Amino acid sequence: MADLNRLLIGQVGLSGFSTRMMGAIMARTRLTGVLATIVAVLIAAVAATALYTSVKFAEAEQTARTAIQEATTYSNALDRLKDAVLDAETGQRGYLLTGDREYLQPYLRAQRLIEGFQDEGWEIAAMRGGEDTELRRLVNNKLTELAETIRLFDAGNPQAALTMIQTDRGQEMMAEIRQMVRGRQAEANDRAQVARQRVENYNERSGLVSKLLALLLVLASVMGVFTLYQWFRMRQVEEEVEEAVDTAERIEVIAHELDHRMKNLFAVAQGMLRQSARGRGEAVKDFAEEATSRLRAMSHAYSATRELDEARSLSKSVIIDRVVRSQLLDQHRVEIQGEDGDVSDKAVSPLALILHEWTTNALKYGAWKPDADPNGLSDVRISWRTTEGGDYELLWDEQHERRENSIPEASGYGSKLIKACAAQLGGKVDYDWHNKGVRIRLIADSKLLSVSRGSLSEAKIP
């Protein structure tokens, strides 16, 4: 029977293993999918940011290049303008001092250059969407001053031309032109510098985004490899689960066959004993009845082990139902107290045999015998608890009128069986006989009998 119990427990264990393994792999696969989705979203976000940054970087670079080019063109144009005005002034001074018209050539070239500059490129050079009227005014005033001195000299009035030069008005206008040119060039350079700084900022951002994208790509690669591994592992576990299920199904078939044969063996053995006792003396009949009772107890214990769960345990309430309540009639009273709990597979059979022996004794000699109490006040209380010392205590308390005061001898086979089963439970049994019945206490190992599972209802009467 022990081998059959292990076989049945193995069947439960295999199916439970299959369910747990499949659940664990499915949970891990779902977690992997969630992580992969998160990484994919992050990669998409970073990729979009990288694309946006790249576009902005390209725009900023083009803007900076244009600004630098415009600033260079404008600065060069201003330098040419300033140099042309200086050449014109130098030519004017040479002509007024020598009267040689050769000295007017620089003035005339400068005048043509300035006029060409103003007529052909002023709006572009100004970078203001139109003419720089203030600078144009200063340049025109300077050219007008130079032209007036030359006109006075050509009209035969060199003294008037010299007087006009000595007023320092022309020098002041030249200083204003230089200052304005420097201001315009500084403004252009500032714009170019701002554009360069913008390019550098976008370049730094682009580098940071590129590093982050590379990191996420590495993470995505790792997640991809992990997901692939999980897929292969899932396939492997599916094969293992299918094999386990097939094994469990084969074991179930064998277990049902063994269960059927065990029940037949118990029934055949009990039938053989009853048949053999027919026509024999009272001693043989008593022996046959006692042996049949023992076989019935073993059958109840075996039936209880058939209901072991995945944890290889069985609740006390099930054991009491199968072993005690199954033998009672309607008039038998039983009260059960204590929290329900699990009994390990090692303790199911010994506990069932002990309870069966107590039940049989109560039906034959104790509270449940036919003439125990004419008033119907006899009953049995079954309770259990964990003692302060950590042991498990099971109490069987019979309440009925005892007609004899003697203490029964504990030398029969039943007493020896109870003692042996108690030893298997790591404990012992004590009897307290009194005129109101008997109180039996089983002290056992709490590790086998004391796992809580909820409270049993009290005062249950079948």
Side-chain angles (χ1 to χ4, degrees):
M1 185 169 67
D3 293 336
L4 176 60
N5 290 342
R6 287 194 292 269
L7 182 64
L8 297 176
I9 293 169
Q11 172 197 357
V12 175
L14 280 173
S15 61
F17 166 79
S18 303
T19 303
R20 290 192 297 272
M21 284 296 294
M22 183 65 74
I25 295 298
M26 289 296 294
R28 190 180 302 175
T29 302
R30 286 193 295 269
L31 177 60
T32 304
V34 171
L35 293 177
T37 302
I38 294 175
V39 172
V41 171
L42 290 176
I43 290 176
V46 173
T49 304
L51 180 61
Y52 174 79
T53 304
S54 298
V55 172
K56 287 297 183 181
F57 174 73
E59 292 178 355
E61 189 175 25
Q62 181 62 34
T63 301
R65 189 179 295 111
T66 302
I68 293 171
Q69 183 178 0
E70 290 177 352
T72 302
T73 301
Y74 184 45
S75 181
N76 292 337
L78 292 174
D79 285 336
R80 289 178 62 190
L81 173 62
K82 180 185 65 174
D83 293 341
V85 174
L86 287 174
D87 288 344
E89 187 178 49
T90 300
Q92 175 247 15
R93 293 290 192 270
Y95 175 66
L96 295 180
L97 291 174
T98 64
D100 187 353
R101 297 195 69 84
E102 282 296 325
Y103 284 99
L104 286 179
Q105 293 304 317
Y107 164 76
L108 295 175
R109 284 196 303 270
Q111 189 178 36
R112 287 192 301 269
L113 177 62
I114 292 172
E115 290 176 353
F117 178 76
Q118 289 179 344
D119 293 341
E120 297 177 5
W122 187 262
E123 290 187 4
I124 296 176
M127 293 195 302
R128 291 186 176 181
E131 295 182 351
D132 189 340
T133 57
E134 188 176 3
L135 184 57
R136 178 184 286 276
R137 178 182 59 79
L138 290 176
V139 172
N140 287 339
N141 290 341
K142 182 61 180 177
L143 292 178
T144 301
E145 185 262 342
L146 295 177
E148 180 62 22
T149 56
I150 293 173
R151 186 189 67 79
L152 290 174
F153 185 81
D154 289 341
N157 193 359
Q159 186 62 38
L162 182 59
T163 301
M164 188 175 181
I165 292 174
Q166 291 176 346
T167 59
D168 294 333
R169 177 56 185 158
Q171 185 177 357
E172 293 175 357
M173 285 190 291
M174 194 64 215
E176 291 179 5
I177 290 174
R178 289 193 185 95
Q179 183 178 359
M180 186 168 292
V181 166
R182 284 194 297 268
R184 296 292 189 269
Q185 289 176 331
E187 180 182 350
N189 291 333
D190 289 342
R191 292 182 182 178
Q193 183 60 33
V194 170
R196 290 192 191 96
Q197 187 62 42
R198 188 179 297 115
V199 171
E200 291 179 1
N201 292 340
Y202 276 110
N203 192 22
E204 291 178 0
R205 287 189 203 171
S206 179
L208 180 61
V209 172
S210 298
K211 292 179 182 178
L212 182 58
L213 182 60
L215 178 61
L216 287 177
L217 287 175
V218 171
L219 181 60
S221 300
V222 173
M223 290 298 300
V225 172
F226 182 71
T227 303
L228 187 62
Y229 166 77
Q230 287 296 327
W231 184 82
F232 282 113
R233 179 58 182 158
M234 187 69 178
R235 295 296 304 167
Q236 182 181 1
V237 170
E238 287 179 356
E239 295 176 358
E240 293 176 358
V241 169
E242 290 177 0
E243 182 179 356
V245 170
D246 292 340
T247 303
E249 290 176 353
R250 290 194 296 270
I251 291 177
E252 185 176 5
V253 173
I254 296 174
H256 282 305
E257 179 65 23
L258 288 176
D259 181 41
H260 178 68
R261 294 189 181 187
M262 286 294 297
K263 290 180 179 179
N264 285 341
L265 284 175
F266 283 128
V268 169
Q270 293 178 58
M272 291 177 62
L273 285 172
R274 285 193 294 269
Q275 288 290 336
S276 300
R278 287 182 180 179
R280 303 295 180 90
E282 291 298 325
V284 174
K285 291 181 179 180
D286 291 342
F287 171 79
E289 183 179 356
E290 188 72 18
T292 300
S293 176
R294 298 292 183 273
L295 287 174
R296 189 181 304 112
M298 293 179 63
S299 177
H300 287 314
Y302 164 74
S303 298
T305 60
R306 285 287 287 124
E307 300 185 26
L308 292 174
D309 56 19
E310 286 189 31
R312 298 188 178 187
S313 60
L314 191 67
S315 68
K316 301 181 185 71
S317 59
V318 173
I319 296 176
I320 290 175
D321 287 339
R322 296 293 180 271
V323 178
V324 179
R325 292 182 185 276
S326 61
Q327 302 185 62
L328 303 184
L329 302 176
D330 292 341
Q331 65 268 24
H332 294 149
R333 294 158 52 91
V334 59
E335 179 180 341
I336 301 175
Q337 296 178 342
E339 290 187 354
D340 197 5
D342 290 336
V343 177
S344 70
D345 59 324
K346 296 179 180 180
V348 170
S349 293
L351 181 62
L353 290 173
I354 291 174
L355 289 173
H356 182 273
E357 195 67 26
W358 289 349
T359 302
T360 300
N361 291 336
L363 289 170
K364 288 184 177 181
Y365 316 112
W368 290 331
K369 67 180 181 179
D371 59 346
D373 190 346
N375 298 322
L377 298 179
S378 299
D379 60 10
V380 175
R381 294 184 179 88
I382 305 173
S383 62
W384 50 77
R385 67 185 182 91
T386 301
T387 65
E388 295 181 357
D391 295 326
Y392 179 82
E393 181 183 69
L394 174 63
L395 294 179
W396 178 281
D397 192 2
E398 295 186 26
Q399 300 292 326
H400 68 97
E401 293 289 339
R402 292 185 65 229
R403 295 181 176 86
E404 65 280 355
N405 295 324
S406 62
I407 298 176
E409 295 183 1
S411 58
Y413 176 79
S415 299
K416 295 178 180 179
L417 177 64
I418 292 174
K419 184 178 180 180
C421 292
Q424 293 184 38
L425 297 176
K428 61 180 181 177
V429 176
D430 295 327
Y431 294 85
D432 180 17
W433 298 92
H434 50 84
N435 58 356
K436 293 295 183 179
V438 61
R439 182 180 179 88
I440 310 174
R441 185 177 68 165
L442 168 65
I443 301 295
D445 186 354
S446 60
K447 295 180 180 179
L448 300 175
L449 300 169
S450 64
V451 179
S452 178
R453 184 182 278 214
S455 296
L456 289 176
S457 56
E458 298 184 358
K460 291 186 177 178
I461 301 176

